[in-house]
Amino acid sequence: MSLLTSLIQASTRFQQAMDTRQAPSGKPDDGVTNKSPKLEATGSPGGDRFTPSEQAAQDPADVKVQKIPLDQYKQTVAQDLSYIRDTLRHKLAEYNVHPATALNVSKGEDGKMIVEGKVPDEVRGKIEQDLNNNRDFADAFSRLSVSEPTLHFMDNALKLNQAYGVRNSLLSALVSENQQFNGLQDVLHRYDSLRRNTSANQALTAGDSQRYAFNLNARA
């Protein structure tokens, strides 16, 4: 064996001995450790204060609100809206009143229909009488006086919830966790019950001290 070969082998054994000695030490200042790096959990409560966690997004109160079949409610209410609108248009045509004439129809304290608009008093009186004698119109108007304000409130509250995550406790109270009990009539009944409560009435129908009115050909 040559001297060069002996030196190479000796150098190799020395390097291996040093590696074996350093590897298990794991001293703080030698930069070597046997432990796997501990990964920090993502999405932790304090990790990002501006990003809602997945757990928060799945809150039962938010989930049931997001399942509200609002479009289905609107389709049902649209039938009453169409009927009332068509009835008033037919009355304008029947009494030779310009079809673009604005009418305001409401229900007085005595439960009778009140018609307001730029029409002769005689014609206005006849339209009022016809509407009060029309049971179908009175029933549709009564339903609409409850359903339209309810849907208006729900629509606004739901948009705020979806856009900004704003939770409305009254909207949550209107919606049942059991979707089987979230039919339009169920929601309207709960809305009416809440509206009978003074504090709920103020929050649900702010500025709704005036009677409900349907406007035909009204200009914004």
Side-chain angles (χ1 to χ4, degrees):
M1 182 182 297
S2 65
L3 178 61
L4 179 59
T5 302
S6 299
L7 289 175
I8 292 174
Q9 291 179 351
S11 176
T12 301
R13 287 195 295 271
F14 178 77
Q15 183 63 41
Q16 291 175 347
M18 290 297 295
D19 293 342
T20 303
R21 184 179 179 183
Q22 292 177 359
S25 64
K27 295 181 180 179
D29 55 350
D30 62 10
V32 180
T33 178
N34 290 327
K35 295 183 179 180
S36 301
K38 186 176 181 180
L39 297 177
E40 210 174 302
T42 58
S44 58
D48 187 350
R49 295 179 299 167
F50 303 101
T51 302
S53 67
E54 183 177 355
Q55 183 177 1
Q58 296 301 317
D59 188 283
D62 292 333
V63 171
K64 72 172 185 177
V65 165
Q66 292 168 3
K67 291 183 178 180
I68 295 175
L70 193 60
D71 289 339
Q72 183 178 343
Y73 297 162
K74 291 180 179 179
Q75 290 177 3
T76 302
V77 173
Q79 297 176 8
D80 284 336
L81 282 169
S82 178
Y83 175 76
I84 290 179
R85 187 180 296 111
D86 290 344
T87 299
L88 294 177
R89 286 174 176 169
H90 290 158
K91 288 301 170 185
L92 291 178
E94 180 180 349
Y95 293 104
N96 297 318
V97 179
H98 193 283
T101 301
L103 290 181
N104 178 288
V105 181
S106 60
K107 185 177 291 187
E109 296 180 357
D110 57 357
K112 293 184 177 180
M113 296 294 171
I114 299 175
V115 177
E116 297 174 321
K118 293 183 178 181
V119 294
D121 290 341
E122 182 180 356
V123 172
R124 183 184 58 79
K126 289 181 180 180
I127 293 177
E128 279 187 357
Q129 184 176 359
D130 291 345
L131 296 180
N132 282 307
N133 291 333
N134 188 333
R135 181 61 182 271
D136 290 338
F137 184 91
D139 290 344
F141 188 90
S142 295
R143 289 192 299 268
L144 197 62
S145 65
V146 177
S147 60
E148 195 170 30
T150 304
L151 294 189
H152 180 72
F153 162 74
M154 294 180 69
D155 193 26
N156 289 337
L158 189 59
K159 286 177 180 177
L160 289 174
N161 178 271
Q162 293 175 340
Y164 306 106
V166 178
R167 185 180 300 169
N168 190 303
S169 59
L170 294 176
L171 177 62
S172 297
L174 290 178
V175 184
S176 172
E177 293 182 2
N178 189 337
Q179 293 299 315
Q180 186 178 357
F181 301 110
N182 281 333
L184 178 59
Q185 294 305 317
D186 297 322
V187 174
L188 295 180
H189 176 73
R190 286 191 286 268
Y191 177 89
D192 188 59
S193 297
L194 288 172
R195 191 168 55 174
R196 293 176 187 277
N197 180 281
T198 304
S199 59
N201 184 41
Q202 293 175 352
L204 281 170
T205 55
D208 193 31
S209 57
Q210 297 180 353
R211 62 182 182 270
Y212 172 80
F214 180 86
N215 296 298
L216 177 72
N217 297 327
R219 297 291 184 268

